[in-house]
Amino acid sequence: MCELLSECLLNPNAENGAFDENTTDLMRAELIDTIDSVINEKSSYAIQNANKTAFVGEPMEFPANGTHEQAEKVTAKSAYTAYRRILESARVEIFAVGCSDFSDAERILSETFKKIERKNICELTVTPSKLKPEPAFASDRLPMQQAILRMYFKAPELTDRFAGTMFTMILGGMTTSRFFENIREKQSLCYYCSCVAGRNKRYLAVYAGVEPKNIERTREAVLEEIRDICENGVSDEEIKTAMLEINNEISSIYDSGASMTGWYLNQLTDGKTLSPEEFCEEIRAVTAERIQAAARLYSLDTVYTLSGEEQ
């Protein structure tokens, strides 16, 4: 398998500095279809457009697949040039997962990359997203009944990743979270309300599916839940439940090669790489005071709505 991978890397279907024209045409059309189809998946469309405001001036402002216009300009030659640039200067990480000592894999792939003149290797760095002086508000409209609310909070100074993880889980990362129990169940303001943390960029994205008439009330309810944790902290029961939830999630990492790869890939920019078991040990040491301190570092940065009605 490694020899096959090596062959694919070094000898693609290309001649005279260009990929095969027919293959390029097919790939270009597939890429354009992927880019254009995002509008049919309203959640993905909301993420893509909200990022334009939340991360203006940063790489995350731009969609990973590029734009329709950019894709149309791709040629067999420009694609090959990009391929060579990746091989020669990109940071390359190779993960091998399975029951092996991987010595053959290491040998074969080392020999492969020795055949490439590598220079000006890109550095792998991630900087916290900048917090805006004042929150930014943006909105879009599409033919749809339900509205989507996305709120971005940023904490550039957050360094306690474990307290941040617990804060995210308690706030909106599990079925017993504050968002689920207080905003969805008790107040019936939304169909769903959850949050996810961008650890390396140090942001928290809150997302909710709501009736257009409930957008403002949901936004205020989200702010109130965060304020309550900042002022009053979290309970021992919330900490216990969040720890159990995290332990259950961590235990499933060994279920597939992809999840194990993802676990270590997500730690490439950390100063220290932790095994799942080491991460759980750190989580068990998190206190209510650390969670409250992490919560207090977050500030509202961006509010985005996607709706079929004028707001």
Side-chain angles (χ1 to χ4, degrees):
M1 291 300 296
C2 288
E3 290 173 349
L4 178 60
L5 174 59
S6 175
E7 179 70 16
C8 291
L9 283 171
L10 295 183
N11 298 298
N13 186 12
E15 289 182 350
N16 301 319
F19 284 122
D20 176 73
E21 290 284 355
N22 292 332
T23 303
T24 302
D25 290 343
L26 290 172
M27 292 294 95
R28 186 195 304 108
E30 184 175 317
L31 176 60
I32 289 174
D33 286 344
T34 299
I35 292 170
D36 291 347
S37 66
V38 72
I39 197 170
N40 298 319
E41 175 50 58
K42 301 302 187 291
S43 295
S44 298
Y45 184 84
I47 294 172
Q48 180 173 292
N49 281 20
N51 284 355
K52 294 177 182 178
T53 300
F55 304 106
V56 62
E58 303 174 40
M60 281 187 67
E61 174 186 358
F62 307 100
N65 289 319
T67 65
H68 182 112
E69 293 73 21
Q70 290 172 327
E72 282 187 328
K73 295 178 181 178
V74 175
T75 66
K77 185 174 180 59
S78 69
Y80 184 84
T81 300
Y83 150 76
R84 289 304 310 181
R85 186 171 66 250
I86 290 171
L87 279 186
E88 293 166 5
S89 62
R91 167 78 175 264
V92 177
E93 297 288 340
I94 299 172
F95 289 84
V97 182
C99 299
S100 171
D101 63 3
F102 304 119
S103 57
D104 286 337
E106 183 176 0
R107 175 182 55 80
I108 292 169
L109 292 170
S110 294
E111 291 173 354
T112 297
F113 279 89
K114 286 179 181 178
K115 298 175 183 178
I116 304 168
E117 186 179 349
R118 303 263 292 159
K119 56 187 177 181
N120 301 322
I121 309 302
C122 297
E123 291 186 15
L124 185 60
T125 58
V126 179
T127 57
S129 183
K130 293 181 179 179
L131 177 67
K132 298 178 180 60
E134 296 291 337
F137 294 81
S139 63
D140 287 304
R141 295 177 62 195
L142 287 176
M144 55 189 292
Q145 297 298 316
Q146 179 180 309
I148 295 176
L149 169 67
R150 291 189 65 85
M151 301 173 67
Y152 292 79
F153 298 82
K154 295 180 182 178
E157 304 303 318
L158 179 63
T159 57
D160 190 343
R161 63 180 284 198
F162 309 104
T165 298
M166 290 288 287
F167 169 61
T168 302
M169 189 65 69
I170 291 170
L171 187 66
M174 54 186 179
T175 54
T176 57
S177 69
R178 293 197 176 200
F179 285 166
F180 185 89
E181 292 194 338
N182 297 335
I183 299 178
R184 182 187 185 277
E185 295 296 295
K186 293 181 180 179
Q187 300 183 62
S188 300
L189 288 176
C190 53
Y191 302 105
Y192 60 85
C193 187
S194 302
C195 64
V196 61
R199 181 171 60 81
N200 291 323
K201 299 294 290 182
R202 296 176 197 172
Y203 72 87
L204 181 75
V206 178
Y207 53 98
V210 301
E211 294 287 343
K213 64 181 180 180
N214 288 331
I215 288 178
E216 290 304 315
R217 291 176 60 197
T218 302
R219 182 165 68 89
E220 288 303 318
V222 167
L223 293 173
E224 178 55 34
E225 292 300 329
I226 295 176
R227 275 195 298 265
D228 184 66
I229 292 179
C230 290
E231 295 173 3
N232 303 313
V234 296
S235 68
D236 292 340
E237 185 63 28
E238 287 177 315
I239 293 176
K240 180 181 178 181
T241 302
M243 286 184 177
L244 288 173
E245 188 79 17
I246 292 171
N247 283 333
N248 288 336
E249 290 183 2
I250 294 297
S251 64
S252 68
I253 287 173
Y254 293 105
D255 291 347
S256 71
S259 60
M260 289 181 66
T261 299
W263 173 260
Y264 289 100
L265 181 64
N266 288 332
Q267 299 184 74
L268 284 180
T269 58
D270 294 336
K272 182 181 180 181
T273 301
L274 301 178
S275 68
E277 292 78 14
E278 290 171 331
F279 181 84
C280 286
E281 288 181 13
E282 295 286 354
I283 286 294
R284 285 192 288 270
V286 173
T287 62
E289 291 75 19
R290 287 171 59 186
I291 296 171
Q292 187 177 29
R296 289 173 173 172
L297 293 175
Y298 281 98
S299 296
L300 180 63
D301 179 89
T302 300
V303 178
Y304 172 86
T305 56
L306 176 63
S307 175
E309 299 179 7
E310 287 202 40
Q311 301 303 311

